[in-house]
């Protein structure tokens, strides 16, 4: 298989990518097709759907590689404080484990890899559902604008499928062990003078990313440690004290 497109987002690094696309519903993404597939006719009718499924590939340390875990129930975090490195492209070097430590369980308990959406899998395939914002038809081909894009900038997209409510929505579905471990969000202290440094259209997504606590699961309490998040061309510095995240600088 080869990518049909790449997605461009405001998150150029692993650190800060949300653990679930709809935990940050205002995150913006642009899907740009490879020349072979950049045909306006190929997306005819897609704008009649509200949501799309994206199938993509986890990458490991390569420029433009996607690292997002689409449910966040398999993210354990990397040494940088962000997502754990995903399997490498080569099958010989692919790393996976039969059990993983989901951040939803504090990074302490283990469950089977196939009971999670951890990036440490036999095949580095990601799945996420995004909201379709609009379709832009250009001379170079279509550009699909989406929201809730929990993917790293440059992630290769292998397929796009419409979300079909009667087939894809199961109101009586059981969430398994995840239902016993509700997600905990932080309160975000974001001074107005620092908010003014962020383009208005980018501010909601940034706040949602910060609220999800970008640090690795099980991070120890270090209230004076300053973390740095790359977002939309900005460097956002913050500290975390108990359940409050304080934004201290935006540059």
């Amino acid at each position: 298989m080869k990518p049909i497109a790449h997605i461009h987002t405001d998150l150029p690094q692993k650190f800060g990518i949300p653990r679930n696309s709809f935990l940050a519903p205002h995150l913006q993404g642009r899907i740009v097709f490879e020349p072979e597939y950049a045909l306006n006719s190929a997306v005819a009718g897609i704008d009649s759907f509200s949501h799309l499924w994206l199938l993509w590939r986890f990458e490991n340390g390569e420029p433009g590689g996607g690292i997002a875990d689409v449910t966040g129930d398999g993210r354990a975090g990397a040494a940088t404080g962000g997502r754990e490195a995903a399997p490498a492209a080569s099958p010989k070097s692919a790393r996976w484990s039969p059990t993983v430590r989901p951040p939803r369980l504090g990074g302490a308990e283990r469950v089977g890899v196939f009971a999670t959406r951890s990036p440490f899998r036999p095949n580095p395939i990601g799945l996420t559902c995004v909201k379709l914002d609009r379709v832009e038809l250009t001379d170079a081909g279509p550009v699909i604008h989406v929201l809730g894009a929990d993917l790293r900038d440059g992630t290769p997209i292998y397929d796009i499928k419409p979300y079909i409510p009667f087939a894809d929505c199961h109101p009586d579905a059981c969430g398994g062990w995840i239902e016993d471990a509700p997600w905990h969000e932080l309160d975000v202290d974001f001074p107005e003078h620092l908010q003014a440094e962020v383009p208005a259209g980018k501010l909601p997504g940034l706040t949602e990313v910060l609220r999800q606590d970008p640090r690795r699961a099980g991070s120890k309490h270090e209230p004076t440690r300053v973390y740095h998040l790359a977002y939309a061309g900005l460097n956002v510095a913050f500290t975390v004290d108990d359940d409050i995240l304080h934004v201290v600088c935006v540059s």
Side-chain angles (χ1 to χ4, degrees):
M1 295 192 298
K2 57 183 179 180
I4 63 167
H6 288 78
I7 189 168
H8 299 283
T9 71
D10 291 320
L11 294 164
Q13 300 176 350
K14 307 170 190 177
F15 185 55
I17 296 176
R19 297 171 173 91
N20 183 291
S21 60
F22 287 96
L23 292 175
H26 291 92
L27 279 182
Q28 302 169 358
R30 293 183 302 110
I31 299 173
V32 179
F33 287 86
E34 293 297 295
E36 181 179 354
Y37 308 102
L39 305 170
N40 290 338
S41 59
V43 299
I46 200 171
D47 56 358
S48 65
F49 295 92
S50 64
H51 294 77
L52 303 172
W53 288 110
L54 304 181
L55 288 144
W56 46 276
R57 184 186 182 101
F58 293 104
E59 301 286 347
N60 182 21
E62 297 177 7
I67 297 294
D69 173 65
V70 295
T71 67
D73 298 313
R75 169 179 159 178
T80 59
R83 288 180 181 265
E84 227 170 333
S90 170
K92 294 182 180 180
S93 62
R95 295 184 297 118
W96 75 283
S97 171
T99 63
V100 295
R101 292 179 292 185
R104 184 69 71 99
L105 298 177
E109 299 181 44
R110 284 189 174 273
V111 296
V113 65
F114 297 122
T116 74
R117 296 194 181 181
S118 168
F120 282 86
R121 320 186 70 79
N123 294 306
I125 300 172
L127 171 71
T128 194
C129 183
V130 294
K131 183 176 181 180
L132 176 59
D133 183 28
R134 61 189 175 92
V135 178
E136 178 185 4
L137 302 181
T138 74
D139 292 338
V143 177
I144 300 178
H145 296 260
V146 299
L147 297 172
D150 62 338
L151 288 83
R152 181 177 170 182
D153 183 47
T155 294
I157 306 295
Y158 282 90
D159 203 4
I160 301 169
K161 301 178 185 293
Y163 177 94
I164 303 174
F166 84 86
D168 296 339
C169 180
H170 301 276
D172 58 343
C174 173
W177 57 266
I178 297 171
E179 294 183 351
D180 297 324
W183 189 248
H184 178 70
E185 296 185 343
L186 299 176
D187 292 324
V188 177
D189 171 28
F190 202 152
E192 290 187 6
H193 72 280
L194 294 179
Q195 291 186 34
E197 300 296 322
V198 183
K202 303 294 184 181
L203 184 59
L206 172 58
T207 304
E208 290 162 353
V209 168
L210 295 173
R211 190 179 297 133
Q212 304 312 314
D213 192 351
R215 301 173 302 165
R216 66 177 299 169
S219 294
K220 61 182 179 180
H221 185 219
E222 298 178 282
T224 61
R225 179 176 176 179
V226 178
Y227 298 87
H228 295 270
L229 170 70
Y231 178 85
L234 301 170
N235 175 22
V236 181
F238 64 90
T239 61
V240 180
D241 189 0
D242 289 329
D243 290 335
I244 303 178
L245 183 150
H246 302 275
V247 179
V248 297
C249 182
V250 177
S251 58

